[in-house]
Amino acid sequence: GESVGLHLPTLSVQEGDNSIINCAYSNSASDYFIWYKQESGKGPQFIIDIRSNMDKRQGQRVTVLLNKTVKHLSLQIAATQPGDSAVYFCAERTYGQNFVFGPGTRLSVLP
Amino acid sequence: EAGVTQFPSHSVIEKGQTVTLRCDPISGHDNLYWYRRVMGKEIKFLLHFVKESKQDESGMPNNRFLAERTGGTYSTLKVQPAELEDSGVYFCASSQDLGAGRGYEQYFGPGTRLTVT
């Protein structure tokens, strides 16, 4: 297992508030994007994905927004809970190639 | 359904030694991926198997790394000889091939933390 890195960008939110985690991706040809959640000692866990032909997709308490014009991806978590505390990674993929991961953002939920 | 498993969870070796990491993907998943995360940095792709064939090994750092997937089931990643910069967490992931237009969700294992001293 792994303990997450010590020097990641950190977002601190109050329990119950909404969280917005941002990601700038690098390749304008990327056609598929995933958000992963990684808790300490565990591997990345799939949260939600979106294809480049969409600009918004909703899951349970989570929404992913894609802005292809500025190559920006965001993950919104509604009513953030203590169990949401983790490191969140975005990953982009261009068809026929493999995933490229972002550096990660640590989400800290304050009581 | 059992998830992706990796062994060992943690390995500490001296520079110059050899280490072999193992990954057991989810049963029925033809695609198997190896990734590495050096502390504090992003997860980097190493290579991709489709069944027993190497589809893409462009991320392998050098010839000290050797990955195999005999029989298309579990995979091993050997580092020989290990160097200090090889320290990090090695993740394995697997996915089904759902065809064009379908998701490519990868299921990750818990990782192997490799420490080279």
Side-chain angles (χ1 to χ4, degrees):
Chain A
E2 175 198 27
S3 61
V4 295
L6 298 177
H7 303 293
L8 293 170
T10 298
L11 173 67
S12 297
V13 297
Q14 290 291 139
E15 182 178 353
D17 286 352
N18 296 334
S19 303
I20 300 176
I21 301 171
N22 296 304
C23 177
Y25 63 93
S26 57
N27 190 344
S28 57
S30 292
D31 63 353
Y32 181 61
F33 306 85
I34 297 180
W35 277 101
Y36 286 96
K37 172 186 180 182
Q38 187 183 8
E39 297 173 280
S40 186
K42 299 182 180 179
Q45 179 185 8
F46 174 93
I47 301 173
I48 191 168
D49 60 357
I50 188 168
R51 295 198 170 278
S52 59
N53 60 355
M54 304 172 69
D55 53 20
K56 180 179 180 179
R57 188 155 189 240
Q58 288 184 293
Q60 186 176 21
R61 280 203 309 119
V62 295
T63 300
V64 56
L65 298 177
L66 174 63
N67 185 331
K68 294 181 287 295
T69 302
V70 295
K71 293 189 289 186
H72 183 267
L73 195 68
S74 68
L75 176 70
Q76 300 177 2
I77 304 174
T80 312
Q81 302 169 359
D84 296 326
S85 293
V87 176
Y88 290 81
F89 294 95
C90 65
E92 62 177 299
R93 189 192 65 100
T94 304
Y95 184 78
Q97 299 181 20
N98 286 289
F99 282 98
V100 174
F101 284 77
T105 297
R106 181 195 303 275
L107 176 64
S108 179
V109 181
L110 307 173
Chain B
E1 177 184 279
V4 177
T5 58
Q6 292 186 245
F7 182 82
S9 58
H10 194 181
S11 178
V12 181
I13 61 172
E14 292 183 353
K15 175 181 173 180
Q17 290 185 322
T18 297
V19 63
T20 300
L21 314 181
R22 173 170 169 144
C23 168
D24 286 78
I26 292 173
S27 178
H29 282 192
D30 288 340
N31 296 282
L32 187 150
Y33 308 82
W34 282 99
Y35 294 90
R36 175 172 74 172
R37 182 171 186 227
V38 174
M39 187 61 70
K41 301 201 173 182
E42 64 269 24
I43 298 170
K44 291 258 191 182
F45 166 81
L46 295 179
L47 89 159
H48 169 205
F49 283 100
V50 177
K51 298 184 179 177
E52 67 273 15
S53 299
K54 291 176 184 174
Q55 180 78 9
D56 182 350
E57 53 184 329
S58 61
M60 295 286 265
N62 52 60
N63 59 9
R64 295 186 293 102
F65 289 73
L66 175 64
E68 295 181 322
R69 193 183 182 196
T70 306
T73 54
Y74 72 91
S75 174
T76 58
L77 179 65
K78 180 191 291 187
V79 185
Q80 180 183 28
E83 298 289 345
L84 297 178
E85 64 264 26
D86 300 332
S87 295
V89 181
Y90 290 77
F91 291 105
C92 174
S94 71
S95 72
Q96 291 180 289
D97 185 357
L98 302 179
R102 302 285 298 278
Y104 294 86
E105 181 177 344
Q106 296 184 12
Y107 296 85
F108 279 78
T112 294
R113 178 196 290 275
L114 175 64
T115 303
V116 183
T117 62

